[in-house]
Amino acid sequence: MSDIAKEAIAPPRSFLSQDAIQLFYRLLAAFLICAVLAVLSDSFLSLGNILNVLRQASLTFFIASGLTLVVLTAGLDLSVGANVALSACLAGTVIHQTGSPALGILTALVAGGVVGLLNGIMVTALRIPSFIATYGMLWVLNGLTYWYMAGDTIHGFPAGFRQIGSGYLFGLPIPVYLLVVFLAIGTLFAQRTIWGQEIYAIGANPVAARLSGIPVARRLLLVYAVSGTMAGLASIIFLSRLNSAEADIGESLTLPAIAAVLIGGTSLFGGVGTVFGTFVGALILTLVLNGMNLLSVSANWQPLVTGIIVILAVWLDMKTRRRAQ
C-alpha cells in the first residue's frame, strides 16, 4: 500500500478518540433523560415500559444502522422508509402464497438490497447526488407499492413468524437480541476492517481516497446496498410486529432513522460517526417520544420536539468539533 493510501485510510478508531468523547456526552444525555422521566412518571421504570423502549429503539436502529454507513460517506438515503414498505408488502405476499416465512424473509432482504444497489448505481455510475437519487427512488417505490397493493392489506401471518417482531426470549423482546447482533457486526465492520476504514476515508476526502487507490465506486455501492438490505430486515421486523402489510407502512420511518443517525453524532459532511453512536441516538429519540406519551403530551408536538432535538444535536456536534480542531 502506498504512503498516500496509508494517510487516506485512518487507523482503527479507538475509544480515546473525539468520537468517544461525543459518545460519552450522548450517553450522559440518555441517562439524564431517564432520570427526569423517572421523577415525572411512575410508569417509566416499569419493566413493561423499559422493554417497550428497547423494542422501539431496536426497530429504529435497524433502519438507521445501514443509513449510518451511507452518511459516513457524506451521502444520504431518503428511500429507506419506502424501501421498508415495498419489501414488507412483497414479503407478506410471498408468505401468504407459499406459507414459507423463510422465503418471505429472503424476499424482503433481496428486495431491499436491490433497491439499495440501484441507489448506489445512480450515485456512482450516473453521478446523481445522493439526495436527489434517493429522493427520486422514494417516489418510485411509493408509486410501485401503492400500485402493487391497490388499496389492499395483507394480514394474518404464521405464529412462528410473528415471534420475530413480537416474541420474547428469556424475558427480553427478540428484536433486542437482533439489535445486539447487528450492533456488534456494524461496529466491528466500521471500526475494525479495511473496508470500514475506507468508508471513513471516502467521507473525509473522496478525492484523496480515490487517488490513494481506494475503489470509491465499489465502496459506495456497498454502503447503499447495505442500507437497502437493512431496510429489508427492518421490514421483516415491522411486518411480524404489526401482523399486517399495507402501502403506507413506511411513510413515518425515514425521518426518525435520519434523526437517530444525526443525534448519534454522525456528521452529514461524512467521515465522522459510529454505528454505536447511532444506537444511542435511536435510544435518546425513543426515550423522548416515550416520555411524551407517558406524560400525555399531544402526538402533534412530537415532530416539533424531534426536529428541535436534531437541530440541537447537529449544532452542538459542530461546535464541539470546532473546539477540538
Side-chain angles (χ1 to χ4, degrees), residues 234-315:
S235 75
I236 291 299
I237 307 299
F238 278 95
L239 187 63
S240 58
R241 172 70 172 162
L242 299 175
N243 196 30
S244 66
E246 50 190 310
D248 63 351
I249 190 176
E251 288 185 356
S252 62
L253 301 178
T254 299
L255 294 183
I258 295 174
V261 174
L262 299 181
I263 294 170
T266 301
S267 172
L268 279 173
F269 301 102
V272 174
T274 63
V275 175
F276 190 83
T278 294
F279 162 67
V280 177
L283 183 61
I284 289 175
L285 183 62
T286 304
L287 285 170
V288 171
L289 299 181
N290 176 258
M292 293 179 69
N293 290 330
L294 292 177
L295 299 175
S296 300
V297 177
S298 173
N300 295 329
W301 289 100
Q302 293 185 5
L304 172 65
V305 173
T306 301
I308 292 173
I309 293 174
V310 170
I311 292 171
L312 287 175
V314 174
W315 176 72

Side-chain angles (χ1 to χ4, degrees), residues 65 86 115 148 219 248 264 267 305 314:
S65 58
L86 179 60
V115 169
Y148 177 75
R219 295 298 172 263
D248 63 351
S267 172
V305 173
V314 174

Side-chain angles (χ1 to χ4, degrees), residues 116-139:
L117 191 60
L118 290 175
N119 283 333
I121 291 173
M122 286 191 290
V123 171
T124 56
L126 303 183
R127 299 187 181 279
I128 301 174
S130 62
F131 178 90
I132 301 300
T134 59
Y135 185 63
M137 180 61 75
L138 179 155
W139 288 102

